[in-house]
Amino acid sequence: MEITNEIKAKIFAQYLGQKIQWRDTSETEVTTLTISELDRSEKITFLCIKLLLKPLFAISDEDALAISVIMQFTELEEETTKIEYIKQVIPNLYPCSSCSKLIVLNVFQFLQSKGYDLPQYLLGGKTLFESGLAIYK
């Protein structure tokens, strides 16, 4: 599967506000900035840009608790239980039959806003790291 510039643009738009690494064409200078800070007048190829993301397996306790609120886990009372449960569920969330599609979408959007690398349907289910479009910080 070829990853076209159109696909890259759609994926990068999902991570607006996240940090990227940008190499100039000579590959001697590396700049770190957010996607929204890119100067539109500069000629930038997507080959030079990598998103700086966090792996999904490294989800923070704080983010796990926020996800438990989104997923409405009221039956789990203790915070540590919620955190452990979320960390187990998140990698397999997409095919989760017990969650509504809206909840899954909300969780995915939350994770993207926090800079986590997620499987992309535009990449055949691969993560951005697996596809060479991201590096882990």
Side-chain angles (χ1 to χ4, degrees), residues 14-63:
Q14 295 172 9
Y15 285 91
L16 207 60
Q18 298 302 319
K19 298 269 186 214
I20 59 169
Q21 265 194 357
W22 170 37
R23 292 187 181 272
D24 67 6
T25 52
S26 65
E27 295 197 17
T28 56
E29 184 181 331
V30 177
T31 307
T32 301
L33 60 158
T34 63
I35 293 175
S36 56
E37 293 173 330
L38 285 174
D39 185 352
R40 293 177 192 215
S41 64
E42 295 190 49
K43 294 197 177 233
I44 297 172
T45 65
F46 282 109
L47 298 174
C48 304
I49 298 174
K50 302 271 186 197
L51 278 159
L52 294 174
L53 300 177
K54 297 178 270 190
L56 196 53
F57 62 80
I59 190 167
S60 71
D61 292 353
E62 182 181 303
D63 291 341

Side-chain angles (χ1 to χ4, degrees), residues 59-73 79 82-83 86 90 103 106-107 110-111 113-114 116:
I59 190 167
S60 71
D61 292 353
E62 182 181 303
D63 291 341
L65 280 175
I67 290 169
S68 74
V69 171
I70 294 169
M71 295 181 77
Q72 303 166 356
F73 286 142
E79 282 188 2
K82 287 180 183 178
I83 291 168
I86 292 298
I90 286 300
I103 288 175
N106 287 338
V107 169
F110 173 80
L111 290 168
S113 74
K114 293 294 186 173
Y116 288 100

